[in-house]
Amino acid sequence: MQASSPRMQLGQLPTGLLDALASRSLPSRPIASRLSRGIPSQRRDITVNQLDTSSDQRERVVILGSGWAGYTVARQLNPKKYQAVVVSPRSYFAFTPLLASTSVGTLEFRTALEPVRSRRSNVNYFQGWADVVDFKNKKVTVEESADNSTQGFALSGSRAETQPEVRKAEQAKKGKTFDLAWDKLIITVGCYSQTFGTPGVKEHALFLKDVGDARKIRNRILLCFETAALSTTTDAMRKNLLNFAIVGGGPTGIEFSAELHDIIKEDLARIYPELMEFYKITVYDVAEKVLPMFDEDLGKYAMKVFAREGIAIKTSHHVESLRKGPPGDSNTAKDVQDEYPCWTLRVREEGDIGVGMVVWSTGLMINPFAKKALGKIPSIPESGVKYLTPGSELSRGSLQWAVSKEPKTGAVITDDRLRVLLGPDGDHESKQRAIMEDVFALGDCAKIENTTYPATAQVASQKAEWLAKRLNKGDFDKGGFTWKNMGVMAYIGNWNAIMQGGGGGSVSGRAAWVLWRGAYLTKSVSWRNKVLIPIYWFLNWAFGRDISRF
């Protein structure tokens, strides 16, 4: 049987109407003409040559990364003045405050995503990693990455940002590369999770940095309960499988612990009532207290709520390793260990502990791209460099310049206009300094000189909004960026939250929970998600979370 034609599949619509619809669906102007007029065009076969043709004398702004900083600045640049091009292995922006909710089914994954490409967007996009930055010729080498099967570890726009073991596996299938010229470069490549070199963590722990991570956590929770419910599973193994460990007592770790408690108490307890005596949730932190960014009273309130709900918080505890298999002989052969569905977490203060899942949330490690591609500068640009110290310009040819880095973290140092600072490479005695006026760095991978702003989404988005406004108006001389503290908040379970305002006021309990949900709803970018989020909140409250594994 022959396949039905598209016209037959549309049903009994009149032929004239179908022809009219077909004619309206086809672009009436070439793609280059549509781009030059600022009309969104999301053709996936856009080439660099087509971008050049459609620039219409606009400056090209290449943005490395699609996180809080990169996505925000790309959306807010004036499309009549700038041609914004985002380079990232991730074709979407992840609204990270909602990841804990998506990991347990309180919200669906779609509600935490905003696509870089959309019909209403004026942003061009290449899916790939930035490998090399040529500051002199104003070009960046991009490696194509349309196959995103391993991008769960990727945070933004550089190949170096994936976890080391993933990068090593990908070397054999490295994609094609191409050069992309820029007039202005904005570096927002972010960070990835800090593991402190703890053995087994990269291989066996779960993180919560992206939607792919949330999906893995959700499947793991359900797998643990399904396996524990089998008649062949012993009680000892059930205790291991249903022992959930969260390493890190910051907002992410605390919120995930609270969300995990909610799905167990509100949904899984009704489906697996016989397993409730076995489950346990424990938060481990090396510090003396959790939630250090909150006032002491709010921290104590959170711990009191956790204690009442049965969530254990163990501070001043040091995780030493994580390996496959139950507690016992650590020398068990790997093929035997793999038969067991649990892991062993070794804590210095407690010894070996059987766990079904470890969620690691202990802070950030700077993106290796900052070291790999943002280091020595073989040849300093002829223009676009402002020298800050006497004699700097005379040292152009004789001095080896490098991007300035924060010694402790490796973050790129910028001035208060978010422009990248240059200095002598290594231990050179010279004190010469300069600014690259067309290269900006913001987000978690960058730090303004002589500031201690936290590495949060709030700071990254404020920097992005400030930079986009300054670029649109061209008034960088009106003063530098200053962070406005809008406060911090955290969900602590059972419809309770804590919130500390930027001015010092605080709210806790049910009122803070209402403010917490309201803030995240209003901060969602698209109207699509502003509608979807409350719908899913209501559906899951009324009918329970979906516990299907998919």
Side-chain angles (χ1 to χ4, degrees), residues 398-472:
S398 59
L399 183 65
Q400 176 64 67
W401 295 88
V403 174
S404 296
K405 306 285 182 59
E406 208 276 330
K408 184 177 181 180
T409 64
V412 175
I413 299 294
T414 70
D415 67 353
D416 61 357
R417 270 78 168 177
L418 309 183
R419 300 173 297 189
V420 171
L421 289 172
L422 302 180
D425 179 50
D427 298 328
H428 200 284
E429 296 180 357
S430 173
K431 302 298 182 182
Q432 310 287 21
R433 304 182 70 207
I435 291 174
M436 301 188 73
E437 297 182 299
D438 295 326
V439 182
F440 306 87
L442 52 155
D444 295 341
C445 70
K447 175 185 177 182
I448 297 177
E449 190 175 31
N450 300 323
T451 65
T452 56
Y453 298 151
T456 62
Q458 184 184 137
V459 175
S461 61
Q462 285 187 27
K463 283 184 176 181
E465 291 171 357
W466 181 91
L467 179 59
K469 185 180 293 185
R470 298 283 74 80
L471 288 173
N472 290 338

Side-chain angles (χ1 to χ4, degrees), residues 76-297:
Q76 297 191 11
L77 283 176
N78 184 352
K80 295 181 180 179
K81 187 175 181 180
Y82 297 106
Q83 183 186 59
V85 182
V86 173
V87 176
S88 174
R90 190 174 67 179
S91 62
Y92 56 86
F93 158 70
F95 192 79
T96 51
L98 296 181
L99 290 181
S101 294
T102 64
S103 68
V104 299
T106 303
L107 291 172
E108 289 307 313
F109 303 111
R110 178 65 189 80
T111 61
L113 297 179
E114 298 289 352
V116 175
R117 296 180 182 272
S118 76
R119 292 184 298 176
R120 301 180 182 275
S121 170
N122 291 291
V123 178
N124 301 288
Y125 170 71
F126 287 109
Q127 187 161 14
W129 288 277
D131 265 354
V132 180
V133 179
D134 183 349
F135 292 106
K136 181 178 181 180
N137 298 306
K138 290 192 171 183
K139 290 183 179 180
V140 58
T141 300
V142 179
E143 179 189 341
E144 298 174 358
S145 176
D147 179 6
N148 59 2
S149 59
T150 58
Q151 76 178 40
F153 286 103
L155 307 182
S156 43
S158 70
R159 182 172 182 82
E161 70 198 55
T162 54
Q163 297 285 19
E165 67 275 5
V166 176
R167 294 202 312 274
K168 184 177 181 180
E170 289 177 345
Q171 294 301 315
K173 55 177 182 178
K174 187 173 181 179
K176 297 179 179 179
T177 62
F178 62 91
D179 289 336
L180 181 63
W182 46 269
D183 296 297
K184 296 187 187 315
L185 179 66
I186 301 178
I187 302 165
T188 66
V189 294
C191 296
Y192 58 75
S193 298
Q194 173 66 273
T195 63
F196 305 101
T198 308
V201 170
K202 290 179 181 177
E203 295 80 6
H204 304 307
L206 298 175
F207 303 90
L208 195 52
K209 294 285 293 179
D210 200 356
V211 175
D213 300 327
R215 185 185 294 275
K216 292 177 184 177
I217 290 173
R218 187 162 162 181
N219 277 319
R220 182 62 197 176
I221 295 169
L222 300 177
L223 174 63
C224 287
F225 274 88
E226 288 290 356
T227 306
L230 296 175
S231 59
T232 56
T233 304
T234 65
D235 285 352
M237 182 56 68
R238 290 188 176 106
K239 290 181 180 180
N240 292 333
L241 285 169
L242 301 184
N243 186 13
F244 302 104
I246 295 87
V247 182
T252 300
I254 293 299
E255 287 194 348
F256 172 73
S257 303
E259 295 278 9
L260 176 60
H261 172 269
D262 284 355
I263 186 177
I264 292 175
K265 283 294 187 180
E266 297 172 6
D267 296 276
L268 299 178
R270 300 183 182 185
I271 301 170
Y272 308 99
E274 70 282 358
L275 298 179
M276 289 303 100
E277 62 178 296
F278 299 106
Y279 96 90
K280 184 179 181 182
I281 302 173
T282 307
V283 179
Y284 295 95
D285 199 294
V286 69
E288 295 181 357
K289 65 176 183 178
V290 297
L291 299 173
M293 66 291 300
F294 288 87
D295 288 340
E296 186 176 355
D297 290 343

Side-chain angles (χ1 to χ4, degrees), residues 528-541:
R528 181 205 300 259
N529 281 342
K530 289 180 189 292
V531 172
L532 285 177
I533 288 171
I535 288 176
Y536 279 118
W537 278 338
F538 172 76
L539 290 176
N540 290 327
W541 170 78

